[in-house]
Amino acid sequence: MWGGRFSARPDALMQAINVSIGFDRRLAEQDLAGSRAHAAMLRKQGVISSEDEAAIQKGLEAVGREMAEGAFPFRDEFEDIHMNVEARLAELIGPVAGRLHTARSRNDQVALDFRLWVREAFDRTLEQLRGLQRALLAKAEANAETLMPGFTHLQPAQPVTFGHHLMAYVEMFGRDASRFADARRRMNESPLGAAALAGSPFPIDRHATAQALGFDAPMANSLDAVSDRDFALEALAAGAICATHLSRLAEEIVVWMTPQFGFIRLSDSFTTGSSIMPQKKNPDAAELVRGKAGRALAAFTQLTMVMKGLPLAYSKDMQEDKVPTFEAFDSLEISLAAMTGMIADLEPVPERMAAAAGAGFSTATDLADWLVRRLDLPFRQAHHLTGAAVKRAEALGVDLAELPLAELQALDPAITADVYEVLTPAASAASRKSYGGTAPDQVRAQVARWKEMLK
Ligand code: ARG
């Protein structure tokens, strides 16, 4: 393709380090789409003849068919996807294939192909995130009243509902979706026609190719067009944050599945056994979702390192943009799918959750709040008095709700029997009616709001 000024073949090592067809063959469809749009534009602008364009389009179609049938010969000697397609095109239609590369360089070509690929990855991920949110919503709605302990420091803090807990993740994945959608909007400009770096002397119509390929506009600076990779960086950053959310949820599933917690059950579909310990049922899928988060962040770090020292415009370093991006989105895709499956599959064990929700003096704050509201104590004093009640209950080996009234009255004689109404986990959760709080009605309101938004 570029042999004119060369008299010797590249060293085998040169080819080995240079070749990218092993991974950039994933850009085949995008490469063909870009070429079709480019050829049509060249003809419309009078840069190539109608007959030549027709031959090129027919040839590109044939190449597409070979690819669909798995018959396309991907060859290392042609280095990358762009030259593999062009070489095959020449074999199929002859020298007229050489006209396709008029007013185009591999630099804007790869920038285009990769951008199209990332744009599709955004769309797939957004679709998957909506699916995951729907699965979470369904579980949350069914468990708007299911009590469980809410934790801080992984110590029982206050009773919450399982529905409320799941809805927290609906919020997180909602922000992830908005990050992806936002980045997609920003990246939707076409680099095609920037050519090698400086633009083209041919009367090309960059607006036409941009439109044909679904972009909002052509990129406004040709140097930027061939050397920008922040669309991929943004995708990877959003992907890393999303993977972090998935990992936190995965971690909770792992913890909830332990016999010590016993909060949920996963069916045989999302667990595995042990080859030596017959009793085992392991949450491997959750563990792998947690583990794969490492890849997502590594990919972002990797591409940032590739880009940070590059002068304008294109440098071959940028060929290293694809592998981390493909890998990050492959692992995000399987993680989102597996998590959606697990959420639909998991069943809470309400007795275990409720028992834990009441343990660890989890309604102590409710007692303190009662003292403030009913006896008009300053909160600090109420906090201190409640601490004394917890200490006493601990000494007697009972829960706060089981502490005899006489014991409470020993701390403050004004305490009356109706205090027990706030000391159950159900009453505690139901009382937290503030906007975004854990009261079942609040949870249902949030479920309804999200259902509407995800329609
Ligand atoms: N395979 C290359 C890449 O992925 C295509 C662009 C090559 N451009 C060049 N001037 N060598 O970046």
Side-chain angles (χ1 to χ4, degrees), residues 160-230:
V160 296
T161 69
F162 189 42
H164 193 52
H165 196 113
L166 294 175
M167 288 304 289
Y169 284 98
V170 171
E171 295 289 334
M172 287 179 242
F173 294 123
R175 287 193 298 275
D176 288 330
S178 101
R179 261 184 287 276
F180 282 117
D182 182 45
R184 188 202 190 282
R185 214 172 301 122
R186 198 167 14 261
M187 64 94 78
N188 200 30
E189 293 185 349
S190 171
L192 187 59
L197 76 165
S200 173
F202 292 96
I204 57 173
D205 184 350
R206 294 193 57 213
H207 291 85
T209 45
Q211 200 186 7
L213 293 163
F215 291 105
D216 298 326
M219 292 178 77
N221 182 295
S222 62
L223 294 168
D224 181 45
V226 292
S227 65
D228 163 45
R229 291 295 182 273
D230 33 90

Side-chain angles (χ1 to χ4, degrees), residues 257 267-274 280-285 287:
M257 275 277 290
S267 78
D268 294 351
S269 329
F270 282 95
T271 47
T272 58
S274 157
K280 295 277 273 184
K281 203 168 169 184
N282 297 325
D284 295 42
E287 295 164 74

Side-chain angles (χ1 to χ4, degrees), residues 20 24 79-80 82 106-107 110 229 314 316 318-319 321-322:
S20 59
D24 67 16
E79 199 180 312
D80 60 20
H82 324 294
R106 275 191 293 156
N107 295 350
V110 73
R229 291 295 182 273
Y314 179 85
K316 197 60 174 271
M318 288 160 81
Q319 181 163 286
D321 56 4
K322 290 164 208 69

Side-chain angles (χ1 to χ4, degrees), residues 55-56 59-60 63 84-94 97 100:
I56 288 170
L60 289 171
V63 168
N84 264 273
V85 168
E86 198 181 321
R88 184 66 187 143
L89 192 63
E91 286 167 0
L92 293 174
I93 67 171
L100 175 60

Side-chain angles (χ1 to χ4, degrees), residues 324-384:
T325 307
F326 292 159
E327 186 169 86
F329 277 92
D330 286 348
S331 66
L332 195 58
E333 185 172 349
I334 186 79
S335 298
L336 282 164
M339 183 55 82
T340 306
M342 278 188 283
I343 293 300
D345 183 76
L346 69 79
E347 282 307 329
V349 185
E351 321 80 72
R352 296 278 305 181
M353 283 187 173
F361 310 107
S362 65
T363 56
T365 316
D366 298 273
L367 175 54
D369 288 345
W370 186 91
L371 294 169
V372 170
R373 277 186 286 136
R374 294 296 299 275
L375 305 187
D376 200 27
L377 297 187
F379 182 77
R380 276 289 152 240
Q381 197 184 328
H383 184 284
H384 188 80

Side-chain angles (χ1 to χ4, degrees), residues 54 62 66 116 123 155 175 203 248 259 271 325 333 370 451:
E66 287 189 345
L116 288 172
D123 293 341
Q155 303 287 325
R175 287 193 298 275
R248 293 183 74 178
T271 47
T325 307
E333 185 172 349
W370 186 91
K451 269 190 173 170

